[in-house]
Amino acid sequence: MERWRLRSLFALLASAIYLYGFPSTTIAYEILVLFHLAVGILLTALVLPVLFRLLRVDAAPARAGWVFLAAGAVLGIVLIFIGTLSRLKPWLYAHIALCVIGTLFVTTGWLASHGWLGATAAQRVLRFAGLVLATAAISAGAWWSREVPWRNANRIVNPPMPAASMDGEGDGPQGKFFPSSAQTKHNGYIPAKYFMQSDACQRCHADIYKQWYSSAHHFSSFNNQWYRKSIEYMQGVAGVRASKWCAGCHDPALLFSGLFDKPIQEIVDRPEARAGLSCLMCHSIVQVKSTMGQGDFVLEYPKLHELAASENPVVRTLHDFLVRVNPEPHRRTFLKPFMRTQTAEFCASCHKVHLDVPVNHYRWVRGFNEYDNWQASGVSGQGARSFYYPANSMMCADCHMPQVRSADLGNIDGFVHSHRFPGANTAVPTVNQDQTQLELSQKFLQDKQLSVDIFAISPAGNEVSAPAAAKMGRPELSTSFAVGEESDTSLPNGPAGEARAVTAPLGRVDATVRRGDDVRVDVVVRTRKVGHFFPGGTIDAFDVWLELLAVDEKGQTLFWSGKVEDDGKGPVEKGAHFYRSLLIDAHGNPITKRNAWANRATVYVHLIPPGAADTAHYRLHVPENAGDKITLHAKLNYRKFMWWNTQFAFAGAQDSNQPPGAVTPDYDDRKWLFKSVEPKMIASELQAVPNLPVITVGEDTKTLNVVGHNATAPQPKIALTKEDWSRWNDYGIGLFLQGDLKAAAAAFQKAADIDPQNPDGWVNIGRALVQEGDTIGARTVLEKALALKPGLARANFFYARILKEEGKYNEAISRLSDVLAQYPRDRVVRNEVGRILFLQKKYAAAVAEFNQTLAIDPEDLQAHYNLMLCYSGLGDEARANEHKERYLRFKADESSQAITGPYRQAHPEDNNERQPIHEHVSVALNPSAKTGKRAAASPPTAVNRPGG
């Protein structure tokens, strides 16, 4: 019997080492799990009945060992019934510890009973110490083999060089899923049913499944009418294959099974077309190949999933039992380390895209991009030059997968990450009539994500100022999205703007206006809890705008910008201050049908970076009949989707009286009609064109006093209080980002006057002066900032800019090295160091620096340009040409701006919005208009409404 006990013990020991150290999802591994359980039960049966006898006859070490083993065995039996889920891990490790200690002492007793432990006390102590060290070494080795290779093998690392064309991405033109970059591990198809079996996950993750079921991820495919219409349109104009570019991140059940090779009309009614992004889409990604997005991931089809989804109840029960008793193989299959430690890079695989010839028949163009601006910002903790930094750096999941209370089996300490993925999508829950999800989205949008501040008034001038910089704030990268802190080319250079005499901050000072005068009203919108540009996502498709309404105490509406037609249900007036990307096709038609692949020129991109602000300007005329008080009410409004696109998606039909050739992949000159809804063509619970909610994200109200036109002109009033430091700073940031550098510097000076001990006021004055080219003035204020905080990275960065301009290259590099010690992943800083090294003709060192930039972003335009120059300097023309090829691929097609000329002439409101510094005027108002009575043009009838 003793021999069997010892054999069982060492069999358990060997199997435990393997099970802990080498978890895998294989039949052999699961058989070993069952073997371990069976032998454990057997050993328990052999030990417990004779435990008291063993405690009487065995040597002291063995007696202690059997006690520990008995306790571990009992705990092991309990774990068979309750499982070893995450929240029960302490009990699992207690079981392991008890058994390891018990085995150590039993082994010691057995060796002692055979005389192998030594004859003297010293020998016994030394040999016992050797056993302890061996046990520790085996334990450490098992932990190392379990954790370290696994983590190292599951990291997201960028390639050293991006492809020279889209043909080099994914599987290339011969691939099954091209032009999506997505791949499968076995280079073949995956059965569609695999992506349709989320209900199998529900057995253990009921709460998470319920959350996902309402989410936008679930409604990513043809169960989403806006997406369905966009693909129907795309396939009709650009072909089926080009639409696979979308399917890589929207339609896994169709794309990876091969069904997407058929036109959507043939498959739209299949259940696969309504599967959306299921649990097994995201959780089957085994590799993310880069941060270049575009579905740049690899999927694996785990065959053992067939056990989980089996219709045989015995097989399902056995599978669930094995997952509960040892969930590590299941966890390793569906929850790779990068999903937790590199969440943003993981999400970037779909939330960052580009288009190229196989999709747009044109060239490389950046589409939407949530990752780069997050990565370069203060929110990520990786950007050195931000205006604001949160208390702790944040990743995507911190906002969009917040922890919520749950009894789900996957909970940790009673919480799971929400799989409702709260965000700004109010359209899908509206048409799904999902009130819970809609309220969550609305709550998310209104959770102090942004703030609105009616900050200042000033006398309106005769002309609208504009920056004198040649670039007018437009980046060189070929993009339909904004470029922020990840680039250094998006801001104007040279003197620009003017410092105005303002009355501010409103609410702190009493502001007075005079009847008959025109005044400029400045409204500041600040991103506070947004980790990327606002708005994010497909920014050519939303209505996001700032509304300003002025009403006197008589109820007269004196000013209204941002009015919505049809009593708030129709389109937004054209002259509003929008936050969006306005794109046009080759014939100057606006991109309004989710047809970004037809984009040939960007009229304007107007977004707010994370931790930054925008300052909007309004020209308010104070009429002679105005009352004694004017109330200004500003609202930041959000409607997903834009009115025109919703009409198109649900009721759009082309006018049959169209000439041939009115549409190609480059343009669409057709006219569209909005007809009655055809139920069979609608993929939503709501069989009608929805009236999408307009969500007020932020708002502010201020009051102005009014005096007669014969009164003395009101003089500017300024209040400088500590509570208003950030208001002045935000005002300056908004002016700075639109290129009004002198006015920005004046605003930043007010912030510095309020709190001279806060270095950021001085730093921001320095930013503006450096951008103007006033290095002498910038040096003075930056030295003040550095005296207060010598290690402040942003101050050192701008000071290094001055040193570079003065030719003090070594000193500049020294400053920038200090910055990189704190923020090693700031690409602009790396590029600045590389550029200085290039100017010093230290080409090899410059190459190393620029390559570090490409390790962060392989598509960095400035890095490729400078590497082209560096390799030419080194005489390596082959490598120089490689980077030249990438530079030309990513560089903007400057000639495309010629397309915008006729469009801007025909659309003066959009031309006004394009100007970095511009003012908005009121819509035409009914003289008798009263508050709450919105005068609007009568909308077209529901049938055959013109769509443009």
Side-chain angles (χ1 to χ4, degrees):
M1 186 63 71
E2 180 183 0
R3 180 177 298 176
W4 281 106
R5 284 198 298 270
L6 292 175
R7 287 177 178 175
S8 299
L9 176 61
F10 286 107
L12 270 178
L13 177 64
S15 63
I17 292 172
Y18 186 86
L19 290 175
Y20 182 81
F22 305 95
S24 62
T25 312
T26 62
I27 293 293
Y29 184 89
E30 299 299 350
I31 290 174
L32 188 59
V33 171
L34 294 173
F35 169 81
H36 184 79
L37 299 180
V39 174
I41 294 171
L42 174 64
L43 182 61
T44 303
L46 293 175
V47 170
L48 289 182
V50 297
L51 179 61
F52 291 106
R53 185 176 65 82
L54 292 172
L55 295 179
R56 290 196 302 271
V57 301
D58 270 0
R63 290 200 300 270
W66 289 119
V67 170
F68 278 110
L69 284 172
V74 171
L75 186 52
I77 297 297
V78 172
L79 290 174
I80 290 175
F81 289 95
I82 67 172
T84 62
L85 304 177
S86 294
R87 68 180 184 277
L88 299 172
K89 268 190 174 181
W91 294 108
L92 171 64
Y93 282 105
H95 164 72
I96 293 171
L98 289 169
C99 292
V100 168
I101 295 170
T103 302
L104 173 65
F105 282 117
V106 168
T107 303
T108 301
W110 184 80
L111 291 173
S113 67
H114 288 75
W116 295 343
L117 203 59
T120 66
Q123 288 178 326
R124 287 193 292 272
V125 169
L126 287 173
R127 290 179 184 179
F128 177 74
L131 281 175
V132 171
L133 290 175
T135 302
I138 293 171
S139 301
W143 176 87
W144 189 93
S145 71
R146 175 188 177 93
E147 299 293 339
V148 177
W150 171 245
R151 293 175 185 172
N152 290 342
N154 287 279
R155 288 193 53 78
I156 299 172
V157 179
N158 279 315
M161 180 76 79
S165 72
M166 188 173 263
D167 289 352
E169 297 170 358
D171 289 324
Q174 307 307 315
K176 296 177 175 64
F177 316 122
F178 187 80
S180 169
S181 295
Q183 297 172 282
T184 57
K185 193 171 183 179
H186 62 294
N187 298 318
Y189 290 120
I190 295 175
K193 68 177 183 179
Y194 175 68
F195 299 103
M196 302 169 64
Q197 294 172 328
S198 295
D199 56 344
C201 307
Q202 187 178 188
R203 296 200 302 272
C204 292
H205 300 292
D207 201 12
I208 288 176
Y209 174 85
K210 183 180 178 181
Q211 295 165 6
W212 163 83
Y213 195 85
S214 290
S215 74
H217 278 193
H218 180 201
F219 295 94
S220 69
S221 192
F222 299 106
N223 50 1
N224 178 328
Q225 180 61 24
W226 287 273
Y227 178 73
R228 171 179 171 172
K229 185 71 172 185
S230 70
I231 297 300
E232 289 174 349
Y233 175 81
M234 183 178 188
Q235 290 188 353
V237 176
V240 172
R241 193 180 195 207
S243 67
K244 289 184 178 181
W245 174 75
C246 308
C249 287
H250 280 268
D251 311 287
L254 296 173
L255 180 69
F256 297 109
S257 66
L259 284 171
F260 212 91
D261 291 330
K262 300 178 180 179
I264 180 58
Q265 291 89 342
E266 298 180 22
I267 58 176
V268 70
D269 294 322
R270 296 179 62 117
E272 294 91 340
R274 296 173 176 263
L277 285 177
S278 67
C279 311
L280 296 171
M281 168 60 186
C282 296
H283 287 282
S284 294
I285 293 176
V286 294
Q287 182 187 0
V288 175
K289 296 173 288 180
S290 74
T291 60
M292 291 183 282
Q294 200 66 27
D296 201 14
F297 52 73
V298 178
L299 285 176
E300 181 180 39
Y301 174 50
K303 295 288 289 182
L304 288 187
H305 173 74
E306 295 175 7
L307 300 179
S310 172
E311 297 181 2
N312 186 318
V314 175
V315 173
R316 285 202 312 269
T317 301
L318 178 61
H319 168 271
D320 292 354
F321 169 75
L322 288 170
V323 169
R324 285 172 181 253
V325 80
N326 184 7
E328 189 62 23
H330 177 79
R331 186 181 296 117
R332 292 193 172 212
T333 300
F334 295 115
L335 192 63
K336 298 294 187 286
F338 54 70
M339 297 179 184
R340 289 183 180 275
T341 60
Q342 294 178 284
T343 308
E345 287 74 14
F346 175 60
C347 296
S349 60
C350 279
H351 289 270
K352 176 181 176 181
V353 301
H354 59 266
L355 304 89
D356 211 331
V357 176
V359 180
N360 63 9
H361 304 273
Y362 174 43
R363 53 161 296 146
W364 190 95
V365 178
R366 164 69 65 223
F368 79 91
N369 178 5
E370 310 292 28
Y371 176 76
D372 285 346
N373 52 91
W374 166 85
Q375 186 274 322
S377 75
V379 178
S380 70
Q382 300 177 39
R385 297 156 293 110
S386 294
F387 292 104
Y388 290 106
Y389 290 79
N392 299 295
S393 61
M394 302 175 72
M395 295 191 293
C396 311
D398 293 317
C399 294
H400 298 290
M401 294 185 72
Q403 289 196 328
V404 294
R405 287 202 170 275
S406 174
D408 190 280
L409 291 183
N411 83 81
I412 298 177
D413 297 328
F415 289 88
V416 298
H417 285 283
S418 174
H419 283 63
R420 287 184 178 272
F421 306 105
N425 194 325
T426 54
V428 168
T430 295
V431 297
N432 289 343
Q433 299 176 321
D434 187 337
Q435 190 63 27
T436 301
Q437 185 73 12
L438 177 59
E439 289 175 358
L440 180 73
S441 299
Q442 181 171 342
K443 181 180 178 182
F444 179 85
L445 281 167
Q446 296 178 327
D447 187 25
K448 300 179 180 177
Q449 304 288 350
L450 296 97
S451 61
V452 176
D453 181 11
I454 305 175
F455 181 77
I457 62 169
S458 58
N462 294 325
E463 296 181 357
V464 178
S465 60
K471 290 182 181 177
M472 297 290 286
R474 281 184 285 278
E476 293 182 53
L477 186 75
S478 179
T479 180
S480 63
F481 205 77
V483 176
E485 290 172 293
E486 73 273 17
S487 174
D488 195 38
T489 62
S490 59
L491 293 172
N493 295 291
E498 60 176 337
R500 303 173 67 93
V502 299
T503 294
L506 298 184
R508 187 70 63 186
V509 299
D510 288 330
T512 301
V513 296
R514 191 170 59 174
R515 294 184 182 93
D517 285 354
D518 285 358
V519 295
R520 190 174 88 165
V521 180
D522 293 336
V523 183
V524 178
V525 181
R526 156 126 175 246
T527 49
R528 292 186 176 273
K529 295 171 62 177
V530 182
H532 47 70
F533 276 116
F534 175 84
T538 51
I539 53 173
D540 58 304
F542 312 150
D543 281 330
V544 186
W545 74 103
L546 187 62
E547 179 181 359
L548 181 66
L549 180 67
V551 180
D552 67 10
E553 79 274 15
K554 302 175 187 178
Q556 296 182 113
T557 299
L558 307 179
F559 181 96
W560 200 343
S561 174
K563 179 181 178 181
V564 181
E565 296 178 12
D566 194 12
D567 198 25
K569 301 175 184 177
V572 183
E573 62 104 349
K574 297 178 181 179
H577 188 71
F578 286 101
Y579 296 102
R580 65 178 179 181
S581 174
L582 178 58
L583 315 173
I584 56 176
D585 67 19
H587 281 190
N589 301 296
I591 301 297
T592 55
K593 298 178 281 295
R594 293 300 304 115
N595 53 325
W597 41 270
N599 165 38
R600 295 296 180 268
T602 301
V603 178
Y604 67 80
V605 182
H606 192 196
L607 307 178
I608 311 177
D614 174 57
T615 300
H617 310 295
Y618 296 89
R619 179 177 288 253
L620 168 66
H621 175 71
V622 184
E624 292 292 345
N625 66 341
D628 295 330
K629 298 282 184 182
I630 295 177
T631 299
L632 302 174
H633 187 200
K635 296 195 298 180
L636 178 62
N637 297 317
Y638 191 104
R639 177 168 62 183
K640 183 169 184 172
F641 292 86
M642 69 170 62
W643 180 87
W644 198 99
N645 184 253
T646 296
Q647 304 300 313
F648 171 76
F650 283 78
Q654 70 179 77
D655 188 342
S656 58
N657 299 317
Q658 296 291 304
V663 59
T664 74
D666 294 311
Y667 60 84
D668 187 348
D669 293 337
R670 295 175 294 177
K671 300 297 180 183
W672 292 84
L673 303 175
F674 300 148
K675 298 191 173 185
S676 298
V677 172
E678 296 184 37
K680 67 176 182 179
M681 301 298 292
I682 301 299
S684 73
E685 298 292 330
L686 188 66
Q687 296 292 303
V689 179
N691 177 27
L692 296 179
V694 174
I695 307 299
T696 299
V697 179
E699 58 187 324
D700 188 33
T701 301
K702 296 291 192 305
T703 301
L704 307 178
N705 299 313
V706 182
V707 297
H709 72 274
N710 292 325
T712 303
Q715 295 302 303
K717 294 180 182 179
I718 294 294
L720 301 178
T721 63
K722 188 173 183 180
E723 294 77 13
D724 292 327
W725 185 94
S726 63
R727 293 182 69 190
W728 280 106
N729 197 50
D730 295 345
Y731 181 54
I733 293 169
L735 297 170
F736 176 78
L737 292 179
Q738 61 192 217
D740 199 348
L741 300 179
K742 290 188 180 297
F748 291 141
Q749 182 65 59
K750 297 294 190 297
D753 292 342
I754 290 172
D755 186 2
Q757 298 305 306
N758 186 335
D760 277 321
W762 304 114
V763 170
N764 290 338
I765 299 170
R767 289 178 196 258
L769 296 179
V770 167
Q771 207 67 37
E772 280 193 63
D774 182 359
T775 56
I776 296 175
R779 176 190 286 274
T780 300
V781 292
L782 290 173
E783 286 177 349
K784 289 183 179 181
L786 290 168
L788 293 168
K789 196 170 183 179
L792 189 62
R794 43 197 179 275
N796 278 291
F797 173 79
F798 293 111
Y799 199 81
R801 279 279 176 87
I802 297 171
L803 294 171
K804 175 190 170 186
E805 290 298 317
E806 294 174 345
K808 298 175 181 178
Y809 294 153
N810 289 334
E811 293 180 47
I813 287 180
S814 177
R815 294 273 182 174
L816 294 173
S817 296
D818 291 342
V819 177
L820 287 175
Q822 300 174 60
Y823 298 95
R825 287 176 56 83
D826 188 303
R827 287 187 278 136
V828 170
V829 181
R830 292 241 170 246
N831 284 341
E832 192 76 5
V833 173
R835 184 65 184 174
I836 295 172
L837 291 170
F838 168 78
L839 294 174
Q840 292 179 307
K841 294 184 170 52
K842 298 178 180 179
Y843 301 128
V847 165
E849 204 65 51
F850 290 124
N851 280 334
Q852 291 204 58
T853 298
L854 294 184
I856 302 166
D857 178 19
E859 297 164 323
D860 189 281
L861 188 72
Q862 302 304 318
H864 284 295
Y865 174 76
N866 284 290
L867 281 166
M868 173 184 71
L869 301 180
C870 289
Y871 280 119
S872 292
L874 291 169
D876 191 339
E877 291 303 322
R879 289 192 176 182
N881 286 330
E882 285 182 347
H883 289 284
K884 178 181 179 180
E885 193 172 11
R886 273 71 177 177
Y887 171 71
L888 293 176
R889 182 188 182 199
F890 303 139
K891 185 179 183 296
D893 177 8
E894 295 172 358
S895 64
S896 70
Q897 282 299 304
I899 302 172
T900 70
Y903 177 89
R904 289 186 284 123
Q905 287 181 333
H907 300 82
E909 299 91 352
D910 292 333
N911 185 52
N912 180 58
E913 190 74 355
R914 173 186 169 97
Q915 309 311 312
I917 305 173
H918 60 274
E919 292 178 348
H920 295 273
V921 297
S922 175
V923 298
L925 295 171
N926 184 333
S928 62
K930 301 287 185 179
T931 303
K933 297 182 181 292
R934 300 188 174 193
S938 299
T941 58
V943 178
N944 290 338
R945 288 175 291 171

